[in-house]
Amino acid sequence: MNASTLKRPMVDLSKPRSQRPMMGLDIEEWRGEHNLSKYDAQYALGFRNSNHYNKMCALPLLPEALELLIRLYEEVPRERGWARYSIKELFHLMYDPALEPFVGTELETWARVDLGTRFAKIFGRSSARQYQWLSDDRRRNDTDLPAYAVIECILSKLKQVDDPREVLERVAKKVWAMRGVDLDVEFRVPTPDFPPTREKTGRKPGVKSKKPAAAPARKATDRKA
C-alpha cells in the first residue's frame, strides 16, 4: 500500500503533541513554548508572510515537511543558521553507503530509484520529485527549492547536528508512523540480503519508450486500385 493512497489520519487531541500528528494550532503552541514573535516564527518555519503563517495555523493537519521541521527544532531548539546542505549533497550523505553494494551491478539503477523514492517521501514529496532533485543536469539542481522554503529550513537545521542521517531518519520515521506509514516497510532501504525488486516487464528506468513507426502513406495509385 502506497502512502499517497492513505486517508488523512484522525488527530486525537486528547494525546500530547509528541504522540499524534501535528495540526495548525500546534504552531502557535510551539511558538509560545519558545517565546518567539510571529515574525521570528515565520522566519524559522520558512513562511513567506503573515498570511502564509495564518493559513498554516488554520490547517487541520500539517504537511509532513513542516511537521518534520518543527520536530527538528524540538531536537535542536536554536535558530537555524545560513549554512545548509544542498538537497543532492544530503541524499549522498544519507544513502551512498546503502547504494555502494549495488554500484556497477544490474541492480544499481533500481537501488538508486528506491533510495530516491524514500528520500523524497521523507519530505512528503512524490517519487517523481527525486528525478528533479537528484538529476545530473546542472540546470535542475536545487532550482526548485525556493518554492519549498520549508525544505531549505530543514537543510539548514541538519547542519546543526553531528549525524544528520540518524537525526533525519529517526524524526521522519516518527512523523510518518503517527500517520500510519512505516517507512522501513513501504519505502525500505535495499540491502544485499533484500535487494530492490522490479517487474521484468515494462521499460527500464532512464530508457525512453519508442513510439511505433508510422505506417507508410499509401500511394495514390493504391487508392485508385
Side-chain angles (χ1 to χ4, degrees):
M1 178 174 57
N2 190 289
S4 62
T5 64
L6 292 173
K7 294 182 179 180
R8 176 179 293 174
M10 296 294 293
V11 179
D12 184 354
L13 290 177
S14 67
K15 293 183 178 180
R17 193 172 70 215
S18 61
Q19 297 177 18
R20 59 168 173 80
M22 294 183 68
M23 305 174 65
L25 56 85
D26 292 313
I27 296 176
E28 277 289 89
E29 182 178 282
W30 170 81
R31 181 175 75 86
E33 291 171 355
H34 294 274
N35 297 313
L36 297 175
S37 67
K38 281 194 174 183
Y39 177 83
D40 289 337
Q42 286 173 207
Y43 171 78
L45 301 179
F47 296 154
R48 295 184 297 273
N49 48 45
S50 59
N51 287 336
H52 189 191
Y53 180 92
N54 293 335
K55 180 180 178 181
M56 293 296 104
C57 287
L59 291 177
L61 185 69
L62 291 186
E64 296 87 358
L66 181 54
E67 179 173 348
L68 178 60
L69 175 59
I70 293 175
R71 295 198 186 278
L72 284 173
Y73 273 110
E74 292 175 342
E75 292 264 333
V76 187
R78 64 176 183 267
E79 183 179 351
R80 64 184 176 89
W82 290 102
R84 69 175 177 89
Y85 291 104
S86 71
I87 195 75
K88 197 170 182 179
E89 182 183 9
L90 181 63
F91 172 80
H92 288 302
L93 179 66
M94 293 185 65
Y95 294 125
D96 272 2
L99 183 62
E100 180 61 29
F102 302 103
V103 173
T105 73
E106 61 181 6
L107 293 176
E108 179 180 355
T109 298
W110 295 123
R112 195 179 298 275
V113 168
D114 281 358
L115 291 168
T117 297
R118 179 186 177 93
F119 185 65
K121 185 55 62 176
I122 281 177
F123 295 98
R125 299 297 186 260
S126 69
S127 59
R129 181 62 60 182
Q130 65 168 302
Y131 299 106
Q132 198 165 23
W133 283 354
L134 307 177
S135 169
D136 289 329
D137 186 343
R138 291 184 179 181
R139 293 171 298 179
R140 294 185 179 182
N141 288 347
D142 283 3
T143 54
D144 279 354
L145 283 183
Y148 303 109
V150 64
I151 295 180
E152 285 192 328
C153 294
I154 292 172
L155 296 174
S156 296
K157 287 301 295 178
L158 291 173
K159 271 289 187 179
Q160 298 176 328
V161 300
D162 294 331
D163 190 345
R165 177 185 178 185
E166 186 277 330
V167 172
L168 182 58
E169 283 272 350
R170 173 167 48 79
V171 177
K173 286 178 184 179
K174 178 178 181 179
V175 169
W176 281 102
M178 289 188 291
R179 294 163 188 254
V181 178
D182 187 332
L183 286 178
D184 287 335
V185 172
E186 299 193 36
F187 305 95
R188 67 179 180 83
V189 175
T191 66
D193 290 334
F194 297 96
T197 57
R198 288 292 185 273
E199 297 292 337
K200 293 183 179 180
T201 57
R203 66 185 179 91
K204 296 181 179 180
V207 179
K208 294 183 178 179
S209 59
K210 295 182 179 180
K211 295 182 179 180
R218 296 174 60 187
K219 295 181 180 180
T221 55
D222 293 339
R223 290 197 296 270
K224 291 180 180 179

